[in-house]
Amino acid sequence: MPVKTVRAATYHYRWLQHTDPKQPTVVCLHGFTGSAQTFMFENPQFNYLAIDLIGHGKTAVYLHPYRYQLTSLVADLTSFVSLLEISSFYVLGYSMGARVALAWAIEQPQGIKGLILEGGTAGIADEQQRNSRKKADRKLSLRLMREPLIDFVDDWEKLPLFASQQALPLEQKSRVRNERLAQNKLGLALSLYYMGTGAQKNYWPDLASIECPLLYLVGQKDEKFQKIGKQMTDVKEIFCCQVLADCGHCCHIEQPRLFETTVTTWINEMEREWTPSK
């Protein structure tokens, strides 16, 4: 995988296919315990650029903890696309990556033509609930540092959020598990501690400030995030939510063809019809 160095942090990335300057670019951001390897498109029409986020995959881990905060990560990503001379692009984020994508569009929106959020959230609005989640995330990060990674992964895979993945073929389940087991414990712990859902800023009041179109994708079996997606996309007319059949939280793994078709159709529609306001 090629690399780019941003503020002394080495970011690994990969293009999913040969790039075509006539086609739009889509920056793909993976979820917690994932990497750029999670994104696989059968017939990629666009220039898909997948990045290993800080603390994950082959990207830098041993950095000052403040670098793991969403505002710092977003600044890195803005510099990253600039280094690659990408002036306009869509951002596709899954789970943790969706939260990063949302923060990016709010904190550093320049160049972003559209957002595709797969099972993400704008944060926890209630301060007490947010503090409780922050404590839980920090407790989990400390436990992660004390225990073998395989024990953490075993428990992580048993979360109700991922129950629908048990129906996946063995080969797919093994690939997802091996991706998780290949992570660095410190990187995961710092990610939980500094940019978990509890640490995330409450972005709900900022949603209306987003000027680009937004597509929220959620699995039919993911009832929690269906409610979140509907609430988020009710904010503006240029936001929409689509529920994908026969999948849970991770649509792009559980229903890859449907996911790819939905993304392709939406981006083509945005390219034809949507012009940013001046």
Side-chain angles (χ1 to χ4, degrees), residues 193-225:
Y193 201 97
Y194 289 99
M195 64 174 175
T197 305
Q200 178 185 356
K201 176 185 173 182
N202 172 24
Y203 282 118
W204 287 100
D206 301 302
L207 288 176
S209 70
I210 296 175
E211 297 184 353
C212 65
L214 183 156
L215 171 65
Y216 193 100
L217 297 179
V218 60
Q220 182 185 27
K221 301 175 184 178
D222 191 357
E223 295 182 4
K224 173 184 175 180
F225 283 89

Side-chain angles (χ1 to χ4, degrees), residues 232-246:
M232 287 179 65
T233 53
D234 279 347
V235 172
K236 297 185 79 169
E237 288 187 5
I238 58 171
F239 297 172
C240 65
C241 179
Q242 290 194 38
V243 178
L244 302 188
D246 298 323

Side-chain angles (χ1 to χ4, degrees), residues 59-179:
T59 285
V61 170
Y62 302 100
L63 299 165
H64 193 286
Y66 85 86
R67 295 294 296 274
Y68 282 79
Q69 296 174 352
L70 278 178
T71 51
S72 182
L73 174 55
V74 163
D76 280 0
L77 292 172
T78 301
S79 297
F80 179 89
V81 294
S82 178
L83 287 172
L84 289 181
E85 299 182 347
I86 301 170
S87 59
S88 65
F89 51 96
Y90 293 86
V91 184
L92 186 164
Y94 161 63
S95 199
M96 179 188 77
R99 295 189 293 104
V100 175
L102 184 67
W104 194 354
I106 291 170
E107 304 279 353
Q108 305 263 0
Q110 56 272 23
I112 298 179
K113 299 171 69 176
L115 285 178
I116 302 167
L117 308 181
E118 179 189 358
T121 178
I124 301 174
D126 182 84
E127 186 175 359
Q128 276 192 323
Q129 292 180 11
R130 188 165 64 252
N131 287 334
S132 295
R133 177 59 183 266
K134 185 186 297 185
K135 289 178 182 178
D137 285 346
R138 292 183 171 182
K139 183 178 179 180
L140 188 59
S141 70
L142 293 173
R143 177 190 159 201
L144 175 59
M145 290 305 298
R146 296 190 189 105
E147 297 182 357
L149 179 58
I150 191 170
D151 291 346
F152 176 84
V153 170
D154 284 345
D155 287 344
W156 188 255
E157 291 177 340
K158 293 174 185 175
L159 291 176
L161 193 65
F162 305 120
S164 57
Q165 293 184 21
Q166 295 304 313
L168 290 172
L170 181 59
E171 182 180 352
Q172 279 186 290
K173 287 194 289 187
S174 296
R175 182 166 60 84
V176 172
R177 180 174 174 81
N178 289 337
E179 188 177 28

